[in-house]
Amino acid sequence: MSTLEHLHPALWRATQLAHGDLATTDTGYAVLRTELPGGGWPLGRMTEILSEPGSAAEMRLLLPALSQIHSGPIALLNPPHIPQIAAFTAQQIPAQRLLWLPTQTHQDSLWAAEQIIRHGSCAALLFWQATIRPEALRRLHLLAQQTQMAFFMLRPENTASNPSPALLRVQVHSVSYGLQVRILKRRGAQSLASLPLYLPQHPYLAGLSHDRTQGLPQDVVRSNRAMHGIVQP
């Protein structure tokens, strides 16, 4: 006799992670693989990554996944800083695949995001937007479902209490050992514990904050920041 969850691939119990045929791309982190439905970041859906503005934690989290998307442009829409190309090339992502799209107004950002998703012209879209109306979020989420794109909305952590249609919401912080991730929303059982993601540290920079790197050789500083996916102003 079939159990309830085997009656249809879209069915799942509240105590379980969702299963089914939703396509995903690997996060690059083993601890996340076991905590996300399908084992990775969903494709053809909106994923929200919430972080402290200016920390670049969102890029450190996403670069390993982006490195596994081997074809198609990667659009960086309205990032807070000029993208650090070395961070991408260190992850084997050629600079030619990056589309840096700074915008002047909120409406320009939304228009550009909609056009990228509608035309399916990119393999991944990273869209930084501090404030956005719920109806605009829903529209982008619905559009994304017509694609197989990796679509990430990158928003400030103070928006965590705001409602969102995103299939997956994750909060990420930079910490001394790497990153700390909390899953705010997923299909399945609620995740209560924060997940530690340990990242390698360059011996010259281990334990040093950003403002204490002044006296170090610049090639060392650049190498470490590239390794961690830091976007520099």
Side-chain angles (χ1 to χ4, degrees), residues 25-224:
T25 187
D26 188 28
T27 66
Y29 299 100
V31 67
L32 273 181
R33 195 174 299 125
T34 62
E35 294 292 333
L36 299 181
W41 304 121
L43 301 177
R45 298 292 192 275
M46 176 194 294
T47 297
E48 275 195 24
I49 309 292
L50 311 182
S51 63
E52 181 183 1
S55 69
E58 74 278 13
M59 291 306 302
R60 299 170 73 189
L61 179 65
L62 292 177
L63 272 173
L66 296 177
S67 70
Q68 298 180 64
I69 300 174
H70 299 295
S71 63
I74 296 172
L76 309 175
L77 177 57
N78 201 32
H81 305 295
I82 297 173
Q84 168 61 282
I85 299 301
F88 292 90
T89 56
Q91 293 286 335
Q92 309 302 313
I93 302 173
Q96 305 91 290
R97 292 184 57 205
L98 301 177
L99 296 178
W100 173 37
L101 303 171
T103 56
Q104 297 298 319
T105 68
H106 176 70
Q107 289 304 315
D108 287 346
S109 297
L110 289 178
W111 182 86
E114 288 194 18
Q115 298 311 306
I116 291 169
I117 298 172
R118 284 183 189 278
H119 294 284
S121 55
C122 294
L125 169 61
L126 281 64
F127 181 16
W128 284 263
Q129 190 66 46
T131 59
I132 184 169
R133 296 189 304 273
E135 57 268 28
L137 275 177
R138 286 194 295 271
R139 186 167 63 250
L140 293 176
H141 181 58
L142 289 173
L143 286 172
Q145 293 180 45
Q146 309 304 313
T147 75
Q148 285 295 298
M149 172 187 298
F151 173 32
F152 300 97
M153 282 293 305
L154 307 173
R155 306 181 66 197
E157 61 181 357
N158 62 10
T159 62
S161 60
N162 297 348
S164 171
L167 192 69
L168 177 65
R169 300 186 86 196
V170 169
Q171 189 173 35
V172 59
H173 289 104
S174 291
V175 291
S176 59
Y177 54 76
L179 299 172
Q180 191 174 62
V181 170
R182 182 183 172 207
I183 300 174
L184 303 177
K185 178 183 177 182
R186 64 181 180 184
R187 294 190 304 166
Q190 184 179 4
S191 177
L192 300 178
S194 295
L195 306 173
L197 305 184
Y198 296 95
L199 302 181
Q201 294 285 340
H202 194 287
Y204 283 101
L205 297 181
L208 295 184
S209 63
H210 179 78
D211 60 356
R212 292 179 61 193
T213 62
Q214 291 294 327
L216 297 174
Q218 286 304 300
D219 60 334
V220 171
V221 175
R222 285 193 297 268
S223 173
N224 186 76

